[in-house]
Amino acid sequence: MSKNRHRPDDDEISAFRQALHQAGVRQIKRNRADPGRPRQTGPRAAAQAAGDDSARGRTSDGRVEAVRPSEYLDFALPDLPWRTRSRLKRGEMAWEAGLDLHGYTLEEAREELEGFLRDAAAERRRCLLVVHGKAWGVDGNYPVLKSHVNAWLREWPGVLAFCSAVEAEGGTGAVYVLLRRRGER
């Protein structure tokens, strides 16, 4: 920083504060982040604090970023080889198991997806197809299952990459999922 930095006088500071006030800017009351949801209490919170994963699944059930029905989903860990990722995106990797989430409620879909991913990892499957659909949610704002699947797969520890399927296998209503095999880094 320069030593000859301009120091504002009292009139400039007063004008700045007045402009903030007119813009509706309010002073922060607490110096703490708000996670956007209330704190949990009771047995579920105690189980989570103790590290018990049986109380809930591995994926969050909180807010997710909404995606459009026709939006192409694409995620990969940074160290995934380019060739592997491009083969997945072109649909050149044969999927070994599939899951269709049509007709499930949000909680049922989460449980089904978690079970499917666990089973696939136990069976040492590499590439999967998950059909989430593109249907709008009840509130009409965004496709709920598609948006949640996008978030859940990013959180799952064994997922190396996922992307929207080729048109013949569901297009933007389905994703290919590439799993890490045991012992693979």
Side-chain angles (χ1 to χ4, degrees):
M1 236 175 164
S2 171
K3 290 181 182 182
N4 298 330
R5 187 175 144 204
H6 171 71
R7 301 274 181 208
D9 61 14
D10 290 339
D11 291 336
E12 290 175 319
I13 292 172
S14 177
F16 178 72
R17 286 187 176 149
Q18 185 178 4
L20 289 174
H21 180 71
Q22 289 173 347
V25 176
R26 293 177 286 133
Q27 185 174 3
I28 296 175
K29 300 271 191 263
R30 285 182 275 142
N31 190 14
R32 269 181 98 182
D34 179 14
R37 54 186 155 158
R39 289 186 181 194
Q40 293 180 342
T41 58
R44 183 173 173 181
Q48 287 177 356
D52 181 11
D53 278 343
S54 65
R56 70 171 185 78
R58 302 279 308 259
T59 57
S60 72
D61 54 359
R63 295 185 207 162
V64 298
E65 182 180 334
V67 295
R68 294 182 314 278
S70 60
E71 187 172 337
Y72 185 87
L73 300 182
D74 188 16
F75 167 82
L77 294 179
D79 58 345
L80 185 71
W82 178 83
R83 174 177 256 150
T84 303
R85 186 173 183 184
S86 63
R87 286 187 60 223
L88 183 70
K89 289 171 98 170
R90 289 192 304 262
E92 293 176 354
M93 298 180 87
W95 49 275
E96 302 163 283
L99 173 67
D100 187 349
L101 296 174
H102 283 103
Y104 286 106
T105 65
L106 190 59
E107 186 57 34
E108 290 170 343
R110 184 168 68 98
E111 290 172 7
E112 284 294 318
L113 181 62
E114 288 176 357
F116 179 65
L117 293 171
R118 267 193 293 276
D119 292 346
E123 296 167 5
R124 299 185 48 82
R125 299 202 189 272
R126 177 78 166 163
C127 187
L128 312 171
L129 179 72
V130 176
V131 179
H132 47 69
K134 300 187 267 189
W136 292 87
V138 176
D139 58 3
N141 292 335
Y142 63 97
V144 176
L145 278 182
K146 179 176 182 174
S147 298
H148 278 80
V149 166
N150 182 39
W152 294 336
L153 289 175
R154 290 171 190 268
E155 296 172 354
W156 196 262
V159 172
L160 293 174
F162 66 88
C163 65
S164 292
V166 296
E167 202 58 42
E169 294 183 326
T172 57
V175 288
Y176 298 123
V177 181
L178 186 64
L179 295 181
R180 173 180 285 122
R181 288 194 177 129
R182 283 192 185 130
E184 192 176 58
R185 295 183 54 149

